[in-house]
Amino acid sequence: MTFHIPKGMKIAATGVLVRESNEGGQNVSVWKSEAPETVAGFSFGRFKVEQANLTKPEYAIESYANEESPEWVNALKMEAEGDALPTTGSHSGSAPLGTMSTTGLNKKALAEGELAVQLYSDYFGPSRFKHLQLTQQTACDFGQSWPELVWIPICYYFDTTVRHQLGLDWGDRGYWKVVTPHEIAHQWWGHTVGFAYGRDQWMSEGFADMSASLFVSLVEKNPKKFLAFWNDEREILLERNPQGFRAIDVGPLTMGYRANNSRTGSDITRRLIYPKGAYVLHMLRMMLHDNRSGDQVFKDMMQDFVKTYSGKAATTEDFKTMVEKHMTREMDLDGNHKMDWFFNQYVYGTGLPTYKLDSSFDTGADGTIIFNMKLTQSGVDDEFKMLVPVYLEMDDGRILSLGRAHVAGNNAVESKVPLTGLKLKPKRAVLNYYDDVLATP
Ligand SMILES: [Zn+2]
């Protein structure tokens, strides 16, 4: 791609900058992608640039913020200060912009970029790229990812006070926290692994949202923020939209953007594929998790998936086959080494179970603490089956993973578990502590 731009302006684009020159008072900037791409993007402005070079993995990251605010921001600022709203002309440069300057948080965008690239490389293996440009765009309410380039909405760069003054509190559901890690995750989901058809798009958006959850647990000191993230995702799926529909009921993930129509509303796919796609991957992560190796099996599976489909387009069935390659014996609920049961319920179906746990603790004759539990599954069809994790919360706040109960249909399972080695009675037993299973709250 060759761009002719006025002197003093900068451009960031998909590919590598191969040449920059000045011809007849214009800057000429030439970019070349290293491999064929399905899409290419660019960002153009009077930018201030911050940069960092990672060594593990080898990755150059640049962050571009506008030196001057766009007109709509200046207009809002003047309105807030009681000045007349300018109807024409550009910002004179005399009004104090204060905290509405967006270059101050450019270092934050860069730091988030560095952390996200390191985290995703660790979990998913290398992306196809060695270079990423984070660029501020003047629209407030959406981000977008291109190969080696991300658009981050300008309102991300405002501090929370300014966002509140501007009435942007709708981002309270964590939008501002995850917009950067979500868009960076698309360097893997969408631009390293492509997705074949509209019915596979849930993986692009869902995996990007799930990746953001990993980012949240990396950067947030408070582990409850991770639970809040999943709580928000579930709320988006289960609340009614203006047309009266819950996204979870409207159709399966593979409906993709076909689920949007004049009856269901134009927002239903957004409410469906992002959070539910994220939950599907999160549920798999939690099923593959064990106390000894942690996320290792999940990482192996995701790295295998990325390596196998790097530079190619994957389908939902390709991903299912990859899950079946790495599934644990415990996940083989049908005894056929297949994950149809899970995909039929959550990817190709609209199932949503409700769980109830009745539990108590006794002390056995030899002093062993005995855990009595009755787990009831309801609101599903008779075929629905699940592995439901049971956790123990201790008085000191520790959460211990006890194991997973297998329950099928609208039924209850009862069991008595001796808690050998536990000296103190747990405070309580909890199901799905980490939102391991998408279910009614
Ligand atoms: Zn996205």
Side-chain angles (χ1 to χ4, degrees), residues 55-71:
T55 50
K56 270 185 186 172
E58 199 182 299
Y59 228 102
I61 305 175
E62 287 163 353
S63 190
Y64 293 70
N66 289 285
E67 288 175 353
E68 293 166 26
S69 300
E71 280 180 35

PDB file of all heavy atoms in Angstrom, residues 55-71:
ATOM      1  N   THR A  55      11.328  -8.862  23.916  1.00  0.00           N
ATOM      2  CA  THR A  55      12.272  -9.882  23.447  1.00  0.00           C
ATOM      3  C   THR A  55      11.658 -11.274  23.529  1.00  0.00           C
ATOM      4  O   THR A  55      11.984 -12.150  22.739  1.00  0.00           O
ATOM      5  CB  THR A  55      13.573  -9.846  24.279  1.00  0.00           C
ATOM      6  OG1 THR A  55      13.225  -9.853  25.658  1.00  0.00           O
ATOM      7  CG2 THR A  55      14.376  -8.595  23.959  1.00  0.00           C
ATOM      8  N   LYS A  56      10.762 -11.487  24.511  1.00  0.00           N
ATOM      9  CA  LYS A  56      10.098 -12.788  24.645  1.00  0.00           C
ATOM     10  C   LYS A  56       8.598 -12.604  24.661  1.00  0.00           C
ATOM     11  O   LYS A  56       8.057 -12.313  25.716  1.00  0.00           O
ATOM     12  CB  LYS A  56      10.549 -13.472  25.944  1.00  0.00           C
ATOM     13  CG  LYS A  56      11.771 -14.342  25.775  1.00  0.00           C
ATOM     14  CD  LYS A  56      12.080 -15.065  27.065  1.00  0.00           C
ATOM     15  CE  LYS A  56      13.393 -15.817  26.953  1.00  0.00           C
ATOM     16  NZ  LYS A  56      13.790 -16.363  28.254  1.00  0.00           N
ATOM     17  N   PRO A  57       7.886 -12.755  23.583  1.00  0.00           N
ATOM     18  CA  PRO A  57       8.380 -13.050  22.241  1.00  0.00           C
ATOM     19  C   PRO A  57       8.955 -11.776  21.602  1.00  0.00           C
ATOM     20  O   PRO A  57       8.719 -10.674  22.108  1.00  0.00           O
ATOM     21  CB  PRO A  57       7.111 -13.467  21.509  1.00  0.00           C
ATOM     22  CG  PRO A  57       6.048 -12.631  22.154  1.00  0.00           C
ATOM     23  CD  PRO A  57       6.446 -12.525  23.600  1.00  0.00           C
ATOM     24  N   GLU A  58       9.682 -11.933  20.523  1.00  0.00           N
ATOM     25  CA  GLU A  58      10.241 -10.789  19.800  1.00  0.00           C
ATOM     26  C   GLU A  58       9.089 -10.048  19.128  1.00  0.00           C
ATOM     27  O   GLU A  58       8.402 -10.604  18.256  1.00  0.00           O
ATOM     28  CB  GLU A  58      11.211 -11.315  18.755  1.00  0.00           C
ATOM     29  CG  GLU A  58      12.178 -10.259  18.255  1.00  0.00           C
ATOM     30  CD  GLU A  58      13.082 -10.827  17.186  1.00  0.00           C
ATOM     31  OE1 GLU A  58      13.825 -11.786  17.496  1.00  0.00           O
ATOM     32  OE2 GLU A  58      13.007 -10.341  16.047  1.00  0.00           O
ATOM     33  N   TYR A  59       8.809  -8.844  19.582  1.00  0.00           N
ATOM     34  CA  TYR A  59       7.621  -8.137  19.103  1.00  0.00           C
ATOM     35  C   TYR A  59       7.863  -6.650  19.269  1.00  0.00           C
ATOM     36  O   TYR A  59       8.286  -6.208  20.348  1.00  0.00           O
ATOM     37  CB  TYR A  59       6.417  -8.534  19.971  1.00  0.00           C
ATOM     38  CG  TYR A  59       5.158  -8.927  19.224  1.00  0.00           C
ATOM     39  CD1 TYR A  59       4.813 -10.261  19.071  1.00  0.00           C
ATOM     40  CD2 TYR A  59       4.302  -7.960  18.696  1.00  0.00           C
ATOM     41  CE1 TYR A  59       3.647 -10.640  18.411  1.00  0.00           C
ATOM     42  CE2 TYR A  59       3.130  -8.326  18.032  1.00  0.00           C
ATOM     43  CZ  TYR A  59       2.814  -9.672  17.895  1.00  0.00           C
ATOM     44  OH  TYR A  59       1.664 -10.046  17.244  1.00  0.00           O
ATOM     45  N   ALA A  60       7.651  -5.879  18.253  1.00  0.00           N
ATOM     46  CA  ALA A  60       7.761  -4.426  18.361  1.00  0.00           C
ATOM     47  C   ALA A  60       6.356  -3.855  18.491  1.00  0.00           C
ATOM     48  O   ALA A  60       5.484  -4.162  17.678  1.00  0.00           O
ATOM     49  CB  ALA A  60       8.450  -3.868  17.129  1.00  0.00           C
ATOM     50  N   ILE A  61       6.127  -3.062  19.514  1.00  0.00           N
ATOM     51  CA  ILE A  61       4.794  -2.493  19.745  1.00  0.00           C
ATOM     52  C   ILE A  61       4.893  -0.975  19.749  1.00  0.00           C
ATOM     53  O   ILE A  61       5.771  -0.398  20.392  1.00  0.00           O
ATOM     54  CB  ILE A  61       4.200  -2.996  21.078  1.00  0.00           C
ATOM     55  CG1 ILE A  61       4.188  -4.531  21.085  1.00  0.00           C
ATOM     56  CG2 ILE A  61       2.789  -2.460  21.273  1.00  0.00           C
ATOM     57  CD1 ILE A  61       3.736  -5.136  22.372  1.00  0.00           C
ATOM     58  N   GLU A  62       4.010  -0.350  19.003  1.00  0.00           N
ATOM     59  CA  GLU A  62       3.965   1.111  18.967  1.00  0.00           C
ATOM     60  C   GLU A  62       2.563   1.560  19.327  1.00  0.00           C
ATOM     61  O   GLU A  62       1.587   0.897  18.981  1.00  0.00           O
ATOM     62  CB  GLU A  62       4.306   1.618  17.562  1.00  0.00           C
ATOM     63  CG  GLU A  62       5.772   1.472  17.229  1.00  0.00           C
ATOM     64  CD  GLU A  62       6.043   1.581  15.746  1.00  0.00           C
ATOM     65  OE1 GLU A  62       5.077   1.632  14.957  1.00  0.00           O
ATOM     66  OE2 GLU A  62       7.221   1.594  15.381  1.00  0.00           O
ATOM     67  N   SER A  63       2.499   2.677  20.034  1.00  0.00           N
ATOM     68  CA  SER A  63       1.205   3.210  20.414  1.00  0.00           C
ATOM     69  C   SER A  63       1.088   4.658  19.914  1.00  0.00           C
ATOM     70  O   SER A  63       1.966   5.484  20.186  1.00  0.00           O
ATOM     71  CB  SER A  63       1.065   3.140  21.936  1.00  0.00           C
ATOM     72  OG  SER A  63      -0.250   3.432  22.293  1.00  0.00           O
ATOM     73  N   TYR A  64       0.048   4.936  19.169  1.00  0.00           N
ATOM     74  CA  TYR A  64      -0.141   6.253  18.530  1.00  0.00           C
ATOM     75  C   TYR A  64      -1.343   6.968  19.155  1.00  0.00           C
ATOM     76  O   TYR A  64      -2.445   6.427  19.151  1.00  0.00           O
ATOM     77  CB  TYR A  64      -0.461   6.076  17.043  1.00  0.00           C
ATOM     78  CG  TYR A  64       0.647   5.508  16.184  1.00  0.00           C
ATOM     79  CD1 TYR A  64       1.049   4.178  16.314  1.00  0.00           C
ATOM     80  CD2 TYR A  64       1.263   6.299  15.209  1.00  0.00           C
ATOM     81  CE1 TYR A  64       2.049   3.657  15.498  1.00  0.00           C
ATOM     82  CE2 TYR A  64       2.258   5.785  14.391  1.00  0.00           C
ATOM     83  CZ  TYR A  64       2.655   4.461  14.547  1.00  0.00           C
ATOM     84  OH  TYR A  64       3.630   3.950  13.738  1.00  0.00           O
ATOM     85  N   ALA A  65      -1.112   8.179  19.678  1.00  0.00           N
ATOM     86  CA  ALA A  65      -2.236   8.980  20.185  1.00  0.00           C
ATOM     87  C   ALA A  65      -2.246  10.327  19.461  1.00  0.00           C
ATOM     88  O   ALA A  65      -1.187  10.869  19.119  1.00  0.00           O
ATOM     89  CB  ALA A  65      -2.098   9.187  21.684  1.00  0.00           C
ATOM     90  N   ASN A  66      -3.436  10.863  19.243  1.00  0.00           N
ATOM     91  CA  ASN A  66      -3.558  12.159  18.563  1.00  0.00           C
ATOM     92  C   ASN A  66      -3.024  13.290  19.431  1.00  0.00           C
ATOM     93  O   ASN A  66      -3.365  13.386  20.609  1.00  0.00           O
ATOM     94  CB  ASN A  66      -5.028  12.441  18.240  1.00  0.00           C
ATOM     95  CG  ASN A  66      -5.542  11.544  17.145  1.00  0.00           C
ATOM     96  OD1 ASN A  66      -5.235  11.724  15.985  1.00  0.00           O
ATOM     97  ND2 ASN A  66      -6.301  10.524  17.530  1.00  0.00           N
ATOM     98  N   GLU A  67      -2.195  14.146  18.853  1.00  0.00           N
ATOM     99  CA  GLU A  67      -1.668  15.285  19.600  1.00  0.00           C
ATOM    100  C   GLU A  67      -2.752  16.308  19.886  1.00  0.00           C
ATOM    101  O   GLU A  67      -2.731  16.996  20.893  1.00  0.00           O
ATOM    102  CB  GLU A  67      -0.529  15.947  18.810  1.00  0.00           C
ATOM    103  CG  GLU A  67       0.733  15.094  18.805  1.00  0.00           C
ATOM    104  CD  GLU A  67       1.822  15.672  17.921  1.00  0.00           C
ATOM    105  OE1 GLU A  67       1.559  16.652  17.213  1.00  0.00           O
ATOM    106  OE2 GLU A  67       2.929  15.114  17.935  1.00  0.00           O
ATOM    107  N   GLU A  68      -3.725  16.412  18.994  1.00  0.00           N
ATOM    108  CA  GLU A  68      -4.830  17.356  19.188  1.00  0.00           C
ATOM    109  C   GLU A  68      -6.130  16.564  19.287  1.00  0.00           C
ATOM    110  O   GLU A  68      -6.280  15.527  18.650  1.00  0.00           O
ATOM    111  CB  GLU A  68      -4.927  18.310  17.994  1.00  0.00           C
ATOM    112  CG  GLU A  68      -3.745  19.249  17.883  1.00  0.00           C
ATOM    113  CD  GLU A  68      -3.711  19.932  16.529  1.00  0.00           C
ATOM    114  OE1 GLU A  68      -4.779  20.082  15.907  1.00  0.00           O
ATOM    115  OE2 GLU A  68      -2.600  20.280  16.099  1.00  0.00           O
ATOM    116  N   SER A  69      -7.086  17.097  20.043  1.00  0.00           N
ATOM    117  CA  SER A  69      -8.369  16.417  20.165  1.00  0.00           C
ATOM    118  C   SER A  69      -9.212  16.663  18.927  1.00  0.00           C
ATOM    119  O   SER A  69      -9.116  17.721  18.314  1.00  0.00           O
ATOM    120  CB  SER A  69      -9.128  16.941  21.386  1.00  0.00           C
ATOM    121  OG  SER A  69      -8.371  16.699  22.544  1.00  0.00           O
ATOM    122  N   PRO A  70     -10.060  15.706  18.571  1.00  0.00           N
ATOM    123  CA  PRO A  70     -10.964  15.945  17.448  1.00  0.00           C
ATOM    124  C   PRO A  70     -12.008  17.005  17.807  1.00  0.00           C
ATOM    125  O   PRO A  70     -12.233  17.294  18.976  1.00  0.00           O
ATOM    126  CB  PRO A  70     -11.620  14.591  17.212  1.00  0.00           C
ATOM    127  CG  PRO A  70     -11.445  13.844  18.482  1.00  0.00           C
ATOM    128  CD  PRO A  70     -10.215  14.377  19.144  1.00  0.00           C
ATOM    129  N   GLU A  71     -12.645  17.557  16.785  1.00  0.00           N
ATOM    130  CA  GLU A  71     -13.588  18.661  16.999  1.00  0.00           C
ATOM    131  C   GLU A  71     -14.713  18.316  17.959  1.00  0.00           C
ATOM    132  O   GLU A  71     -15.104  19.124  18.787  1.00  0.00           O
ATOM    133  CB  GLU A  71     -14.198  19.088  15.651  1.00  0.00           C
ATOM    134  CG  GLU A  71     -13.261  19.984  14.872  1.00  0.00           C
ATOM    135  CD  GLU A  71     -13.874  20.404  13.549  1.00  0.00           C
ATOM    136  OE1 GLU A  71     -15.096  20.593  13.499  1.00  0.00           O
ATOM    137  OE2 GLU A  71     -13.105  20.526  12.575  1.00  0.00           O
TER     138      GLU A  71
END
